[in-house]
Amino acid sequence: RKTGVTLRLLHHEYLEQNRVGAYGYTQFCAHYNGWKKTQSLTMRQVHLAGDKLFVDYSGKKPHIIDVETGEPIEVELFVAVLGASNYTYAEVTRSQTVPDWVGSHVRAFAYFEGVPAAVVPDQLKSGVTKSCRYEPGVQRTYDELARHYDTVIFPARPIHPRDKAKVEVGVQIAQRWILARLRNQRFFSLDEMNDRIAELLEDLNTRMMRRYGASRRDLYEKLERSVLKPLPASRFSYGEWKKARVNIDYHVVFDDHFYSAPYQMVGDEVWIRAAALTIEILTEDGVPTAENRVGSHARSYKRGGHTTSDAHRSVLHLKHAEWTPERIVRWAKTIGANVSLLVEKILAERKHPEHGYRSCLGIIRLDKKYGPERLDAACARAVAVGGRSYKHVESILRNGLDQAALPKTDDAPAEPIDHENVRGPDYYN
């Protein structure tokens, strides 16, 4: 098992330790081979109908041609084999990433028109997050796929190809009867290659197997089709998963966009499931049920944007959100024209309208203490002197300046000046 170690080297080391009565090389090899036969026993596996589906990728990769550059692009060949009938499904995908891996399973189940009791993959990173002989960790989306189709993921043990010998043989057969027959053909897209693979797959599954005296399709129809679990009513919708913590503004972030969660969950850890059109926020255990779903939003791809549900706001924040510049101006008009004018100027001069909300609301509420007439007059004075805040208006009312004459503004016409040095218009006629 060690790199570079040979029987010749082992025999040489053996002679150094046993100089008297040692075996010669030929006898040493004979004893070694006799020992080796006892170390590699194989248990024959009995495959029950509808029990297991074996899945894997081919080590030998086909390729498509880039239309723009003419360069070959390697793609992946996915193979799935039912245990009892050897009924086979194959397709090519761009990569071995989770979306392609999960998508291939969805299309395989549709091809078989049913779901086996268990799926046996290799410990590929797209399917298994933690490689372990006894309790491997299944990737979250892959596990969700299994729950959707009411099956289980049963990964093969690491470095034990015999655990999935069916698909190992299936991959070899796919390489011989599919890939080899594509070697002289050129394809410029995955769809184009998959269309041709579908034709070759039909030929493979209907070809007579000498060992069984029947084709894969015949065995599938006879043994497995009726015992496979039915497909669910809806096709599996792929989603990405991410763990997040609800921020102090009761939002979580996914792909640089912020989505609200109930304000009571600030500081809690949640799971985010992102599909193409929706974002779901789930409690910490992450099981996608109605009881665990605490938020659902339409997915937005606007970076830095916010999607907020009113149902997630606190009562105080909800009342604050109801205020708009238009509503504040309408309220101010019910008190007086000058109040409305001052409010409009404050909102217009602030960098963001919400920065002026508190000042405007404070001014409007002075009506309760001083009355509409005095407040309107105070606002007229504030407009004239350039005051643009609650403090200006409150100071005017507190000091009674609203009852004094308004100061002259730059727009008011100047009174004529009577002075001996002023010649007047008649001088120039």
Side-chain angles (χ1 to χ4, degrees):
R1 293 183 181 178
K2 303 294 183 181
T3 303
V5 176
T6 64
L7 280 176
R8 179 70 69 180
L9 174 62
L10 291 175
H11 181 249
H12 178 73
E13 293 174 346
Y14 161 75
L15 290 177
E16 290 180 344
Q17 298 174 8
N18 302 275
R19 297 184 179 278
V20 180
Y23 295 123
Y25 180 67
T26 301
Q27 197 174 15
F28 178 85
C29 289
H31 282 289
Y32 169 80
N33 288 329
W35 169 82
K36 183 179 178 182
K37 289 179 181 179
T38 68
Q39 304 303 310
S40 186
L41 300 178
T42 300
M43 182 182 73
R44 180 170 294 279
Q45 297 186 34
V46 178
H47 297 286
L48 303 177
D51 185 42
K52 290 178 181 176
L53 174 69
F54 298 86
V55 294
D56 202 359
Y57 283 109
S58 167
K60 297 179 180 178
K61 301 180 181 182
H63 66 268
I64 58 176
I65 306 298
D66 190 300
V67 178
E68 296 181 356
T69 65
E71 295 293 323
I73 302 173
E74 285 192 338
V75 292
E76 303 289 343
L77 177 66
F78 171 87
V79 180
V81 181
L82 286 171
S85 64
N86 293 310
Y87 196 47
T88 302
Y89 173 76
E91 69 170 20
V92 290
T93 58
R94 181 70 69 178
S95 67
Q96 294 187 15
T97 56
V98 177
D100 285 335
W101 173 249
V102 169
S104 292
H105 282 69
V106 172
R107 291 183 286 272
F109 292 147
Y111 181 81
F112 296 131
E113 300 183 51
V115 183
V119 179
V120 182
D122 198 353
Q123 298 220 5
L124 181 75
K125 288 185 178 180
S126 295
V128 178
T129 56
K130 181 182 178 182
S131 181
C132 177
R133 178 187 178 96
Y134 303 105
E135 292 184 351
V138 178
Q139 198 274 341
R140 193 168 190 87
T141 303
Y142 196 28
D143 184 57
E144 185 188 10
L145 169 84
R147 288 198 304 270
H148 181 83
Y149 285 98
D150 190 25
T151 186
V152 296
I153 307 300
F154 189 60
R157 293 171 296 171
I159 323 176
H160 280 73
R162 287 174 182 168
D163 285 2
K164 54 182 181 64
K166 277 285 182 181
V167 76
E168 294 286 339
V169 175
V171 166
Q172 290 180 354
I173 292 173
Q175 290 171 349
R176 294 169 184 170
W177 290 97
I178 295 178
L179 290 189
R181 298 171 72 179
L182 299 177
R183 69 190 185 280
N184 296 323
Q185 301 179 39
R186 290 161 59 89
F187 301 95
F188 297 92
S189 69
L190 290 176
D191 291 339
E192 189 179 347
M193 180 174 280
N194 277 324
D195 288 343
R196 179 57 178 152
I197 288 176
E199 297 173 0
L200 298 175
L201 197 59
E202 184 67 17
D203 179 69
L204 172 64
N205 283 325
T206 56
R207 182 183 298 275
M208 185 70 67
M209 294 185 291
R210 287 179 296 177
R211 180 178 178 182
Y212 297 100
S215 69
R216 291 173 173 80
R217 173 69 58 79
D218 293 336
L219 293 177
Y220 162 74
E221 296 287 351
K222 179 181 178 180
L223 301 174
E224 298 207 273
R225 183 167 188 169
S226 60
V227 296
L228 290 173
K229 296 179 182 180
L231 293 169
S234 60
R235 196 180 180 97
F236 178 71
S237 173
Y238 174 81
E240 298 177 57
W241 288 85
K242 176 186 175 183
K243 204 164 192 179
R245 189 177 296 277
V246 182
N247 204 349
I248 192 170
D249 62 354
Y250 51 89
H251 283 71
V252 293
V253 60
F254 184 87
D255 197 18
D256 289 333
H257 190 90
F258 297 85
Y259 301 90
S260 67
Y263 72 93
Q264 298 93 334
M265 299 186 69
V266 168
D268 292 351
E269 282 193 339
V270 294
W271 278 101
I272 301 173
R273 184 186 186 276
L277 300 177
T278 59
I279 293 287
E280 293 179 280
I281 302 174
L282 303 138
T283 53
E284 189 176 0
D285 59 8
V287 180
T289 62
E291 293 77 14
N292 292 337
R293 188 178 296 106
V294 296
S296 181
H297 304 276
R299 184 167 181 176
S300 173
Y301 293 88
K302 181 181 179 182
R303 292 183 174 275
H306 288 72
T307 300
T308 307
S309 170
D310 286 342
H312 296 158
R313 300 180 189 271
S314 66
V315 176
L316 292 177
H317 289 187
L318 191 61
K319 288 182 177 180
H320 176 76
E322 292 175 354
W323 289 105
T324 63
E326 293 76 15
R327 183 181 178 189
I328 294 175
V329 171
R330 285 197 304 270
W331 188 9
K333 282 183 178 179
T334 63
I335 300 174
N338 292 310
V339 179
S340 174
L341 179 61
L342 178 60
V343 164
E344 288 178 356
K345 288 183 177 293
I346 291 174
L347 294 175
E349 293 177 6
R350 300 296 168 93
K351 290 183 178 181
H352 192 285
E354 288 191 17
H355 291 172
Y357 282 7
R358 289 189 178 182
S359 183
C360 293
L361 292 174
I363 291 170
I364 291 171
R365 287 179 178 131
L366 289 172
D367 169 50
K368 294 181 179 180
K369 183 175 181 179
Y370 294 100
E373 293 80 8
R374 289 194 62 187
L375 178 57
D376 194 59
C379 289
R381 191 175 191 87
V383 170
V385 300
R388 299 291 186 269
S389 69
Y390 163 81
K391 289 183 178 179
H392 280 101
V393 178
E394 193 275 336
S395 177
I396 291 171
L397 289 167
R398 179 164 34 84
N399 293 298
L401 296 178
D402 57 294
Q403 299 172 357
L406 287 175
K408 296 178 182 179
T409 64
D410 295 337
D411 297 332
E415 295 181 2
I417 300 175
D418 184 15
H419 192 274
E420 60 181 1
N421 292 333
V422 178
R423 296 184 177 89
D426 296 338
Y427 176 84
Y428 299 96
N429 293 330

